[in-house]
Amino acid sequence: MAQAEKKGGLLWKSSASKKPLKEKVVLMYDEIFMTEDPSKCSPRFWEELFLMKVNLEYLESKLESLDGEELMKIKDNINCLFQHCIQALGEEHPIRVVNALQTLCALIRGVHQKNKSTSGFDIINMLMGFDKAELCMKNLMESLDSLLCAEGSESLKSLCLKLLLCLVTVTDNISQNTILEYVMINSIFEAILQILSNPPSRREHGYDAVVLLALLVNYRKYESVNPYIVKLSIVDDEATLNVSNQQYKDKEEEHQSGFFSALTNMVGSMFIADADEKISVQTNEAILLALYEAVHLNRNFITVLAQSHPEMGLVTVPISPIPTTPVTPLGTTPPSSDVISSAELPLDADVQTSNLLITFLKYSSIVMQDTKDEHRLHSGKLCLIILTCIAEDQYANAFLHDDNVNFRVNLHRMRDTLPSAGSSLPGRRKVCLIILLSSLCSRRCIQIVHKLLCYQKKCRVRLHYTWRELWSALINLLKFLMSNETVLLAKHNIFTVALLVVNLFNMFITYGDTFLPTPSSYDELYYEIIRMHQNFDNLYSMVLRLSTNAGQWKEPASKVTHALVNIRAIINHFNPKIESYAAVNHISQLSEEQVLEVVRSNYDTLTLKLQDGLDQYERYSEQHKEAAFFKELVRSISINVRRNLAFNTLSQEVLLKEFSTIS
């Protein structure tokens, strides 16, 4: 008897005739794509359909092959198929449920291909029909909620989450996906919470659940009341907040059952990966977004950032399928020079291993090594926005500046501004990590440092840190601005950054005695200003020139001119005295200690102006400052998620094996 081989939904006889025979499920699909109701001639059509193994490739390709007019002719049958899929989700027979979920994924993706240029509203009509959409989506969301919360198959839960991700990412801009209105009305927040709060479920589905939540939170977040934002912002996870350090040290994961603890574990696991892999960093954009939303929306989560616990358990992360080249999943990459690994950190009885904040800082130091790639640039910016939220939080600052909580922290070299990888910064220098990371000296970085200084000034915290590293970085930034004045001014208002730098120096000059570690640190500040006076003189000449001209930069340049008053007063006061000291003592070049001696002996005659508002700052506001960035970021994540929901991620092999005992 001739053997048959399968090809794209067709069965080919191995005889010379090569006449193709279609699978039964393919024949049934073909009936659906006719204008007649397939159940008229076959009353058990729908019952039999969901017992057949889904042919995703054929079903999607068939939908894509039809033009708009042809698709509209079979709209009733598509609506009917969609409704029967939802009905099948309530069946006790798990194979029917699996096939219904698979079919829904194929339908949503296939119809989406025909509606790329239009809104989700057309997709609703094609899938369900406007008149039945509300009831269909209510039933669908209730069924998915039940499957996600049931103590049943993990494979079914995985398919449910993938179906929801299909639904959410059906349009590039999720805020234009009208289907999500029904997902807002029929919330699955508690189901996501339950998955993340259960360690076994979290290991299986954590990534998809966190990404799904991050996307749902960003649906029309500025335009209407988003229930996922509301619910995330009011989560008060007492069980997690009261988890003892000993539980973490004993690695008793079963005891970590709260949502905050779950998200901490989940996000932390994502960061422990080889960030040198571009695909890893791109994947982590979604996880970074989830961390940002938790930190930004719920200040209770800040508490969890500071909870001490070991490096988090690894979580399976989906990787974009790359033909012929196997890719190691995130979190399983062997240690290399750019990999964060607990093996790098020798354990010490007096030093706690890590927490999410420390792990996040490690990750940030890797991401910021190279921001030329678009995804790394997005990730680097998002890291800085998260640090901005942390720097504004009273509890986080108290933790960062606490001498009694010690960690070993491995940072990775970043544009030659950081110590080499493997440098340990124990004790209070946790906050020094943020200052080091901010040595990139962008506007946002300077603002982060300023917020930390405001806390130190307010609480009289004297941070033992080599402040000269920061002062040197700030002065180098001014040199860069002046050296590239013409090029930069063509595109940017460089005076905004220059003013931030100058006012940071003013903060040290005016309030340094309240937070610098020793009186000699204050002396060193004056020494650096005097030693690098040429840079401040050049800056003053530049802003004076532009502030006296009637151009677009007149006002911003004038602000920098006024801000330089105390720095210039210091330079003009001490330079003549240093020159006089050198002349009297017949010294051609003074040593640092000799200059410091002159500084210390001439403070009394120095007159400075009191500058208001140096210890105040504008609090971070996403909607007013970063709405465009987050819109583009969420769009990028949505496209990436949809692309990664490939055929192999929806394979039935594992599912059918799991239910192999069912006839």
Side-chain angles (χ1 to χ4, degrees):
M1 184 176 177
Q3 296 293 316
E5 60 174 317
K6 182 179 176 182
K7 260 186 190 178
L10 301 176
L11 295 176
W12 291 79
K13 285 186 177 180
S14 58
S15 63
S17 65
K18 293 290 184 181
K19 185 178 179 181
L21 298 174
K22 289 187 177 181
E23 294 177 76
K24 184 173 181 180
V25 72
V26 170
L27 291 170
M28 296 183 81
Y29 290 155
D30 288 343
E31 288 188 57
I32 294 172
F33 284 94
M34 301 294 181
T35 55
E36 294 293 324
D37 181 354
S39 63
K40 279 186 177 180
C41 298
S42 178
R44 298 190 62 193
F45 179 87
W46 300 111
E47 184 180 346
E48 292 178 3
L49 177 66
F50 295 112
L51 288 175
M52 302 288 174
K53 181 179 177 180
V54 178
N55 189 323
L56 285 166
E57 185 177 1
Y58 185 84
L59 185 54
E60 284 195 48
S61 62
K62 188 73 175 178
L63 284 165
E64 292 173 21
S65 68
L66 302 177
D67 59 33
E69 187 177 339
E70 290 172 327
L71 198 60
M72 284 303 298
K73 287 180 180 178
I74 61 165
K75 186 182 86 67
D76 289 344
N77 281 357
I78 297 295
N79 291 171
C80 199
L81 174 59
F82 195 87
Q83 291 163 25
H84 277 91
C85 284
I86 295 173
Q87 290 175 19
L89 295 182
E91 296 271 357
E92 292 184 4
H93 202 313
I95 292 296
R96 292 184 188 277
V97 179
V98 168
N99 289 331
L101 289 169
Q102 296 269 25
T103 305
L104 284 169
C105 287
L107 269 178
I108 292 167
R109 299 199 315 178
V111 172
H112 161 73
Q113 294 298 321
K114 310 306 299 181
N115 290 269
K116 281 184 176 179
S117 60
T118 60
S119 69
F121 199 69
D122 295 324
I123 297 173
I124 291 174
N125 186 36
M126 185 56 62
L127 289 174
M128 298 165 268
F130 296 137
D131 55 334
K132 298 178 181 177
E134 187 173 344
L135 181 59
C136 275
M137 287 303 299
K138 179 178 181 294
N139 293 336
L140 174 61
M141 297 306 295
E142 286 178 354
S143 295
L144 293 176
D145 185 82
S146 297
L147 290 169
L148 289 171
C149 294
E151 293 184 6
S153 162
E154 296 300 324
S155 297
L156 278 180
K157 291 181 182 179
S158 177
L159 264 181
C160 288
L161 288 169
K162 293 192 183 302
L163 172 58
L164 285 164
L165 286 171
C166 274
L167 208 59
V168 171
T169 60
V170 76
T171 55
D172 294 349
N173 182 348
I174 65 171
S175 292
Q176 292 179 351
N177 182 2
T178 318
I179 293 178
L180 291 190
E181 285 296 330
Y182 302 107
V183 183
M184 296 294 117
I185 296 169
N186 304 283
S187 174
I188 52 165
F189 182 84
E190 287 73 17
I192 296 173
L193 215 67
Q194 182 170 317
I195 287 172
L196 292 176
S197 299
N198 179 269
S201 288
R202 181 170 68 244
R203 281 192 293 269
E204 289 287 333
H205 318 296
Y207 178 83
D208 284 348
V210 167
V211 173
L212 177 61
L213 180 58
L215 290 171
L216 289 173
V217 163
N218 280 276
Y219 175 71
R220 296 186 178 176
K221 64 193 310 186
Y222 311 124
E223 305 162 29
S224 59
V225 177
N226 181 319
Y228 293 87
I229 291 178
V230 175
K231 292 182 179 183
L232 181 58
S233 66
I234 61 175
V235 171
D236 184 10
D237 201 336
E238 291 296 332
T240 300
L241 299 182
N242 294 327
V243 169
S244 67
N245 286 348
Q246 192 59 45
Q247 284 178 313
Y248 287 116
K249 289 180 180 178
D250 292 343
K251 300 183 180 181
E252 295 178 352
E253 189 185 46
E254 308 82 50
H255 296 171
Q256 303 173 34
S257 58
F259 168 66
F260 287 150
S261 176
L263 191 55
T264 298
N265 252 286
M266 183 65 224
V267 176
S269 297
M270 295 300 100
F271 292 153
I272 304 173
D274 186 355
D276 195 45
E277 292 282 347
K278 292 191 188 304
I279 185 65
S280 299
V281 177
Q282 181 175 349
T283 301
N284 273 338
E285 284 180 358
I287 302 303
L288 274 175
L289 179 62
L291 175 62
Y292 163 75
E293 296 296 355
V295 170
H296 179 234
L297 294 175
N298 195 317
R299 291 303 181 183
N300 292 325
F301 186 71
I302 294 287
T303 308
V304 181
L305 285 175
Q307 291 288 349
S308 166
H309 53 74
E311 297 286 3
M312 282 64 90
L314 300 179
V315 177
T316 302
V317 183
I319 299 293
S320 299
I322 302 176
T324 71
T325 306
V327 180
T328 306
L330 280 178
T332 61
T333 309
S336 68
S337 59
D338 279 335
V339 179
I340 300 169
S341 169
S342 57
E344 294 176 324
L345 310 175
L347 297 179
D348 188 303
D350 299 323
V351 180
Q352 301 173 47
T353 50
S354 186
N355 70 2
L356 178 58
L357 180 55
I358 299 303
T359 305
F360 169 67
L361 291 175
K362 295 178 189 177
Y363 174 81
S364 298
S365 74
I366 291 178
V367 170
M368 293 181 193
Q369 289 180 86
D370 178 16
T371 54
K372 293 178 182 177
D373 175 86
E374 181 184 3
H375 294 292
R376 284 185 178 236
L377 181 62
H378 283 169
S379 294
K381 181 174 180 177
L382 193 46
C383 284
L384 290 175
I385 292 176
I386 293 170
L387 285 174
T388 299
C389 295
I390 291 170
E392 291 183 1
D393 187 84
Q394 188 80 2
Y395 181 88
N397 268 300
F399 164 75
L400 289 168
H401 293 85
D402 188 353
D403 256 341
N404 299 314
V405 184
N406 297 318
F407 291 91
R408 289 196 183 279
V409 184
N410 286 51
L411 290 181
H412 295 252
R413 186 176 298 277
M414 179 178 65
R415 297 191 183 181
D416 298 323
T417 62
L418 296 179
S420 58
S423 301
S424 294
L425 299 174
R428 182 181 285 175
R429 296 191 70 187
K430 296 183 299 298
V431 72
C432 302
L433 302 177
I434 297 180
I435 297 172
L436 281 170
L437 288 173
S438 298
S439 295
L440 277 171
C441 287
S442 71
R443 174 180 57 84
R444 196 180 309 278
C445 294
I446 300 168
Q447 290 171 331
I448 291 170
V449 174
H450 178 236
K451 289 169 182 180
L452 294 173
L453 292 182
C454 288
Y455 174 84
Q456 292 167 23
K457 180 256 179 184
K458 176 184 177 183
C459 299
R460 302 273 172 165
V461 176
R462 297 189 181 276
L463 182 65
H464 293 278
Y465 175 68
T466 309
W467 288 107
R468 280 187 172 183
E469 294 179 5
L470 175 64
W471 299 332
S472 175
L474 293 172
I475 291 171
N476 284 334
L477 174 58
L478 291 179
K479 289 168 67 176
F480 172 79
L481 294 178
M482 290 182 287
S483 300
N484 298 276
E485 174 193 344
T486 304
V487 175
L488 291 174
L489 276 179
K491 296 182 178 180
H492 306 284
N493 177 3
I494 62 174
F495 303 107
T496 302
V497 176
L499 183 62
L500 288 170
V501 172
V502 171
N503 278 338
L504 209 53
F505 275 104
N506 285 331
M507 182 82 174
F508 281 102
I509 293 168
T510 307
Y511 300 116
D513 60 324
T514 66
F515 60 80
L516 287 172
T518 62
S520 62
S521 300
Y522 196 74
D523 301 336
E524 289 171 2
L525 168 66
Y526 278 62
Y527 173 80
E528 287 299 314
I529 291 174
I530 295 165
R531 186 176 71 87
M532 304 298 290
H533 72 89
Q534 192 61 55
N535 293 290
F536 292 108
D537 291 342
N538 292 343
L539 176 63
Y540 180 74
S541 298
M542 182 183 79
V543 294
L544 185 63
R545 166 170 48 85
L546 289 166
S547 64
T548 53
N549 294 334
Q552 68 177 113
W553 305 120
K554 179 180 175 66
E555 184 179 348
S558 297
K559 291 180 179 179
V560 181
T561 305
H562 296 311
L564 281 165
V565 60
N566 281 343
I567 293 176
R568 299 193 70 246
I570 291 170
I571 294 169
N572 294 333
H573 176 74
F574 286 105
N575 267 354
K577 290 177 170 48
I578 292 170
E579 292 171 2
S580 175
Y581 179 92
V584 169
N585 292 280
H586 306 288
I587 303 172
S588 59
Q589 188 171 350
L590 272 62
S591 66
E592 179 176 336
E593 190 52 47
Q594 288 169 327
V595 173
L596 287 171
E597 182 184 336
V598 175
V599 169
R600 294 187 189 105
S601 59
N602 287 279
Y603 275 132
D604 292 345
T605 54
L606 173 65
T607 302
L608 298 175
K609 290 187 176 180
L610 182 63
Q611 295 177 306
D612 297 328
L614 293 175
D615 59 342
Q616 298 172 11
Y617 58 82
E618 181 183 359
R619 293 189 67 84
Y620 169 73
S621 172
E622 177 189 319
Q623 184 172 357
H624 297 125
K625 301 287 186 180
E626 303 295 345
F629 167 72
F630 279 102
K631 180 180 178 180
E632 187 56 37
L633 178 67
V634 173
R635 179 188 182 89
S636 172
I637 292 171
S638 177
I639 293 171
N640 190 47
V641 168
R642 186 172 67 242
R643 185 184 299 126
N644 286 342
L645 289 171
F647 289 115
N648 61 340
T649 64
L650 298 174
S651 173
Q652 284 187 326
E653 291 178 9
V654 175
L655 299 167
L656 294 175
K657 184 178 180 181
E658 184 176 337
F659 303 126
S660 59
T661 56
I662 304 172
S663 58

